[in-house]
Structures are given as C-alpha cells and as structure tokens.
Amino acid sequence: MPEQIHQYFEDMPTPTKNLKNSIPSDFNADRWEALNPSKKRKRNPIAANTSNGGRLTLGGNQIIKPPKAQAPAVNFQVRNQITQRGTRSTEAVLGNLKQKAKALSQLRKDLPIWAHASEIREGLHQKDFMLLVGETGSGKSTQVPQILLSEHWCRPKSVTATISGITQTVKVGGCIAVTEPRRVAAITLARRVAEEMGTPLGSSSPASKVGYSVRFDNSTSPSTQIKFVTEGMLLQELLRDPWLLQYSAVIVDEVHERGVSVDLLMGFLRNMNAGEKEGRGGIALRVAVMSATADLENLRNFFEEEHESKESNGLSGTNGNANEALDPEADETEEESEWSGLSSSYKSDGEDTPGGVSSSHVTLDSKPQHEIPQKGHRQASRGKLALPNELDSIALRAKANGGRPLGHNTSRTATCYIDGRQYPVKTIYSPEPVRDFIDASLRTIFQIHHKEPMPGDILVFLTGQETVESLESLVNEYALGLGSEVPKLLVLPLFAALPQAAQQRVFQPAPPKTRKIILATNIAETSVTVSGVRFVVDCGKSKIKQFRSRIGLDSLLVKPISKSAATQRKGRAGREAPGQCYRLYTEQDYLALQSSNTPEILRCDLSQAILTMKARGVDDITRFPFLDRPPREALEKALLQLFRLQALKESGEISDIGLQMAKLPLSVSLARVLLAAADPQMNCLPEVIDIISCLSVENVFLNITSEEKKEEAEAARRELYRREGDHLTLLSTLRAYAAERADRKVWTERHFVSHRAMQSVMEVRKQLRAQCQHSNSLSLSPDRQVSTLTTERANSILKCFLKGFATNTARLFPDGSYRTIVGNQTVAIHPSSGLFGKKVEAIMYNEFVFTNRSYARGVSAVQMDWIGQLLGV
C-alpha cells in the first residue's frame, strides 16, 4: 500500500504524532495545554502514577521503566542532496525544452500565418466568430492557438452566471480547445505545440501547458492552456458542461471534412453565442473555424443568419424570445407523430433557408438557449445578406486584400485568408484505368525506389486496414530480393485502429540509407505532416459510409474521392520540398470527380447524432441549426431505431438507458449491447467487452490469398472456431491469446491471427474495462474468474447482441438465400465468416457491405423467436 502523504503549511499546527522524534527536549506539555485549551493531551494511566525518579508504580509495586527506543537519526544533508538532485533534474528537462523551443522560434516566424497574427487577434477581439482559410503549409493548426493564448479575453474570469435557473459565481475561460477529426492528428499536433512552447506534454508534468483528449486517453494537467481534442470528445464535454466554462475559445480545424460530429459541434457553438449567454455570465465563447478548402459562403451564411435576421427586425442585441412577441403564431406547428418529434411541416430540401440551414428554436434544459426567427422573419432579413456575386468572390477578394477581414460592419464573423507555403508538386496520371490498385501501388513504389534518389519517403493512400496490411506484406516480400546497392525499405502502416505507439513510428526519421514507405488510409490527408515525404501514390478511392434509409441498411462502400481530397493528398508531397504525386487514375477520371466531400450527415445513419442531441437537451431536432439539413426520412429512421433500442421514450424524450448510452464512447448499437450485458439476468459483461474490443479492429484474422495457405490456416484455427458464429469465435480467440504466457507473437503466427490487431484489441479491452469500473451503472467484478462458455451463457451473449442489432437480422428462405427482416433485401454470408456455406434458421450480422454483391459480415446464428420478441414479428 502506498504511504499517505499529508501536506502542511506554515499557518497550520503540525501534528505531533507524525513528528514525535523531533519534539524539542525543553518541550513543556503543561504550558502547551495552557496555550491550547481545546487540545488536551491524552494522559497515560500508567504514566500518571510515575514517581521516584521516573520509576513506574502500578498497584504499589515498582516497575522498572524500559529504556526508550532511539529513533534513527535523520541525515538532513543526504535528504537535501536528494531533493537538490531532483530539482536539478527537473530544471535540466525544462531547460532542454526551452532550448528546443528557442531553436524552433525562427521556423515558426517564417510560416505564412505569422504575417497575419495581429489580424487574427483583432478579428476575434471584435467578433465572436472567425472563418480562417489557410492553404496547406500555412501553419494554422499549430500557430493560431498560440497566437490567441496571450489575449486578455483568454484569461480566466470569475463571473456571476445563471445555470439551470441557479445564479452562482463561476470561473469562465483560461483554456483554448482545438478540435481535430482524428485522434492521431490531435496527439501529433499537441506534441508539436508543446515543443514549440517549451513545455512538457499533457499529464507528464503538473506545469504542462499543452495537452490532448481523445477516446480512452486524456492527457492534461491543471495548468493546461491549449487542449487538442477530437470532435467527439468535445461533444462528450458538452454533456457534462453545456456552457464549456473552462474554455475562452474553440478552434474547429479541418471543417471541410464535414463529419457528423463537426456539424453538430458548430450548431451547439452557434447556439452558445446566441442570446444573453447567461450560462457564461455574458462572456462570449470565441469560435475560429479553419480549413484549407472550406465553402466560405455556406459557413458565413450559417453564422450570420440569426444575427442578420435580428437586425432586420430591430432585435440586435436582444434575447431571441422577443420573436415570439412579434409573431404569436411563430411556434404553431402541425400535429406531430406520437413520439418522433418531427413536425409534418419539416422540409428536407431547405428551400426556405439560404445554404440549406434550418430554422431553429432550440430549447435546452439548463443549456444554452437559442431562438432563430421563423420563416416570415427570415424572408424579411434576406436583404441584409451579401449579394451572391460578392459571396462567390469572397476568397479572391480576401486574398487580394492581404488577408484583412471582409464583410459588413454589422457582421459578427471575421474572415481571414492566408497563403500557404506549398512547394511545386508534379502530377503523374495513369495512362489508363487501373483494375487492381494494390498491384499498381506495388509497381509504383518499386519504380520510384529504383529511379528516384534519396532522400525521399513515399506516402501511399489506400482504402482501409485490410488493403494496408495486404500491400505491407507484398512490399516486405519483394524487398527481400533487393540488391545490396539499393537502399533498404522500412514499411510503416497508418490507420485509425493501429495502436498509438505504432502510429507514432511513422513520424520518426528513417535509419541511414533507408527509405520509409508509409501505407495510410485517408487518416493522413489533413493535419498530419509526415516529415521526409517527397512522393505520394494516390489510389483515388476511400471507404465511405452510406446509409440507405429506405431499407434501413448502413453499408461501408469503396468509392472515388473528391477533388478537394485529391488536392489534399497531392499536397502531402510538397510540404518540405518539391515532390511528385502518382495518381492511379486517369486525368479524365479526376475531372469527373465531385468538387468536395458530401457531408457525412447527408449520407449516414443519424442514430448516434440524434442521441447526442437528445442527451444535450435538444427536444425538437428538426429545428436544430444544421449546416446542411438531413432528409426527413433519415431522421425518422434514426428516431425509430433509437426507440427500438429503448433510448427514447414514446414522448420522444431521452430515456435513462439513452442517457447511459450517450456517455459511452461506442456506437448506439454496441452501447445498447453493453448495457444489456450488465443486466443481472444476463451477467455476461466481461465476455461482451471482449467481443466489442475485437470488433474495434477491421480484421483479427489474417487475410490469406493462396489456396494452400487457406487450408493450413483453417486447420490451425479449428480450435478457435465456435459453431454459433463469428462473435463467439472472436471471444474464444481473445481468451486464447490472453491466456498465452510464452510468446504471443509466435501464437498469432501459428494461428494466422494478426498480432498487431490483437495488441490493439487488448488496449481497447483494458480501456473499456476501466470505464466500466468507474461507472456506477456498469458493475464489473475484478475478481471474477473466466467461466466456461456453456450453451446457456453463449445464448445470453447472443441475446445481448440482438438487443443492439435486432434490425441487422435475416432469415433463411426455402431457396437457400437469406433475406433481411427489415427491408426484405437478399444478403449472403461473407466468405470470411465461420458460417460461410452453412444454413441456419436466422442470422445476425454487424455490418452490411457491398462489393460485387450484398454481404453480411460478423455473422452469428440466432433463433427466430429471439428476433420476434424484440421486433414483434
């Protein structure tokens, strides 16, 4: 057990029981009692009878007083030397950090963004919002938070605020949040900014001024002033602190990627700066939105709409509730469905809103309130908007104006354009369409390696973990045949499911006479700069989630990227020197690409987004300020799905189960599975955590191509397979891997299992278990022994998964095919499944994928009556 540490100050009485060996010889107990009457010392009944020169008497008999034990002498000189040595060590570390920061100082000042530092400060001093368009290489991601940190409005202030109807004194501000779409970008940027500021990173020191917070990893200190977070983590913070009181500013980086989380985040941030800001004591939360390829017109309309509408009605600076007084019928809506919260007047085409922004009247219980004028008011305000031809040329005029803010004097949004520092990149297109981009990538890598001189690392963009690992194996195999005169190759993968330590290897310099080959997904498109890259190989595709609301299927498809994504990929080759970009598609194919990414909120399942909104108090989701309004059908399907998962009540309000699901860093389906497993009747939480951990990676088992190897792999994995299907096979695989005490890497090679994937699985498993231990609702006994997987326990596990995946089910038809129960779509079991080629009554699957046909992946056999109980079929 660690010793208890007590801290005392000069004005505190020192407890004598801890320092009895240090009591002075002239200490007078009676005088001490006289000065401290409330602190009478306890008297020893034996010592009270002491007489005759210290002899003890008990019952008239003399007892020889035992000699007092001597306390070991304290060598203050040695203790002081140890303290001084620790202090010198800390000072040396800080000194080294300061020296490194000083060396980086000139490099920072050479970045294009430094010429606009005063402009950025002035823009956010006068306005609540800033749109900052900085080209690749401008330094916006690392420099903007440091530029703003010294502003007076960025210091913490004590104010009187009204939160949940209670007026109280709170501290507001003192920290800047920088959101990133991916965890690897947040961690890498935090590390770089800490180096530039000469401060330790995260939780490594109480004096650290820079930290980061990503899923399952919070590395901050009490002194953190700049905090890099993923967009999802800031949404989690909004659940605990709806006014984001610890922040003076939020910087939303890489907004052009348009994930669901960033769309929701901007809606909440806009709401927060509306009205009187009573939850922040009237202090505005500054918001800077940054991107290299953002749609300025749409963004500016989004932030200006409510402000300009108020001005046109003479309501500038007033609370939005005044709108109700002007138009008593503004809140009248047509009759709504029983529990969906969707009014029948909801339009999905956004015809009444510039830029597709919905009208909004969001009432948040104990959260920021925001009124947006209704349709009649918005029509009257359109005259205040900038003319379309002016908005079309806003970026060009900003650039010509030296980057000075543009817009009306009454605008609350500043705009700044910053040139990048991009070296020329030569683009080389494929002369004809490529059928197999993995094979084409392999040939291009070795073509570059043989023809192009060193230095110059190669960055290859692929579609996912499976293609990355497949190409990694091929490159390593061919590299064995290179002659001694050719530089060596160091192949490094980079994808989201990779453990953090493995991800960071990409950013370390290559050994001498070695060329790095980085095989990455679109995780390396933005924010992340890999030093040394001179060549980019772009396959022109990426995996995209596509939700078909008509049939309720969420599928992961490989689709062509956009022009903006292709530009970002190309730019990776010109960050430090002139480079080359090899596009594995023709120039005609490039010209046919869409100009920008389709916002994720328009093409994915909205269940997670709506649960996030409901948990943060948004009662009517149709009136939330979406940057792009999703279709009504998609909202209805998501609400119905949440209702089936018991996350919503019939009234449309969030349930207790829904609130618990919103707090978990999992998809809504997996969160529901976890809560079901924690039910005492099921009592299978450890097993379910293990399976969910395995589902966090794309593939646990290695992808085998040759027929000979396939037979060998099938024989080696036979002891791991379970007849119930893939979920319990994953459980038995993880248990066998965790039980291996000799050499886990050898075990994975013997069973054709990915060692890298299992390391990631073990990390997620550890984090999920820790989260359950800290949760009051998810009790996980640390002393529970691994139980035998009986048929009864296996059924309990599968029933828990059905709680979250009841709509991902299909039944067997007489013709031998499977058809989904929701949507009646024909689906086949994927060849990678243990149930491939087998016929069972019904199946449950994790995901629906489409290649040359519709496949179900992650399949287990279930009973029809289980499904009937959940779906009522």
Side-chain angles (χ1 to χ4, degrees), residues 430-486:
S430 174
E432 56 185 21
V434 172
R435 292 186 177 181
D436 185 349
F437 63 82
I438 293 181
D439 180 65
S441 298
L442 180 67
R443 286 187 281 105
T444 305
I445 287 170
F446 282 96
Q447 175 187 332
I448 296 171
H449 188 54
H450 281 94
K451 291 184 177 181
E452 299 296 339
M454 297 280 288
D457 298 333
I458 304 172
L459 173 60
V460 185
F461 284 99
L462 299 167
T463 56
Q465 178 183 341
E466 188 174 337
T467 54
V468 166
E469 291 181 337
S470 177
L471 184 56
E472 179 188 12
S473 175
L474 289 170
V475 173
N476 283 327
E477 183 180 342
Y478 278 88
L480 295 175
L482 292 177
S484 58
E485 71 284 356
V486 181

Side-chain angles (χ1 to χ4, degrees), residues 17 31 39 132 315 322 331 342 356 405 431 579 720 744 784 794 845 847 870:
K17 66 179 182 178
R31 185 165 179 258
K39 299 178 181 178
L132 198 153
L315 298 175
D331 277 346
L342 287 175
L720 303 176
R744 288 180 175 176
R784 175 177 166 179
Y845 54 90
E847 61 177 344
L870 291 170

Side-chain angles (χ1 to χ4, degrees), residues 181-192:
R182 300 178 181 88
R183 58 182 289 153
V184 64
I187 296 171
T188 305
L189 289 170
R191 182 172 285 108
R192 175 66 181 187

Side-chain angles (χ1 to χ4, degrees), residues 590-715:
Y590 169 76
L591 295 174
L593 297 175
Q594 62 182 35
S595 59
S596 59
N597 298 330
T598 302
E600 189 180 6
I601 203 166
L602 300 181
R603 56 176 171 79
C604 77
D605 180 12
L606 298 176
S607 302
Q608 188 77 50
I610 291 177
L611 182 65
T612 299
M613 294 162 65
K614 291 283 186 180
R616 285 153 186 79
V618 180
D619 295 324
D620 187 356
I621 59 172
T622 65
R623 305 172 103 178
F624 182 79
F626 291 110
L627 188 54
D628 282 285
R629 181 184 296 187
R632 176 190 177 94
E633 187 179 20
L635 291 172
E636 288 178 340
K637 289 287 185 181
L639 286 166
L640 182 60
Q641 171 71 353
L642 290 174
F643 182 67
R644 285 171 173 163
L645 294 175
Q646 301 176 315
L648 297 180
K649 302 176 183 177
E650 289 189 359
S651 62
E653 298 175 351
I654 191 168
S655 65
D656 292 338
I657 289 176
L659 284 172
Q660 292 181 55
M661 288 167 60
K663 293 176 183 178
L664 293 170
L666 299 168
S667 67
V668 290
S669 297
L670 290 177
R672 186 66 186 94
V673 171
L674 200 66
L675 292 177
D679 190 315
Q681 293 183 350
M682 296 298 182
N683 192 28
C684 55
L685 186 57
E687 291 86 353
V688 166
I689 287 176
D690 287 355
I691 297 172
I692 291 176
S693 301
C694 291
L695 295 176
S696 68
V697 299
E698 190 170 329
N699 261 329
V700 165
F701 296 106
L702 293 174
N703 186 29
I704 310 299
T705 53
S706 68
E707 288 299 324
E708 182 182 350
K709 285 285 186 181
K710 279 184 180 180
E711 293 179 4
E712 187 181 348
E714 188 174 344

Side-chain angles (χ1 to χ4, degrees), residues 25-38:
S25 58
D26 59 348
F27 174 73
N28 189 317
D30 294 329
R31 185 165 179 258
W32 184 85
E33 284 184 4
L35 293 173
N36 300 275
S38 63

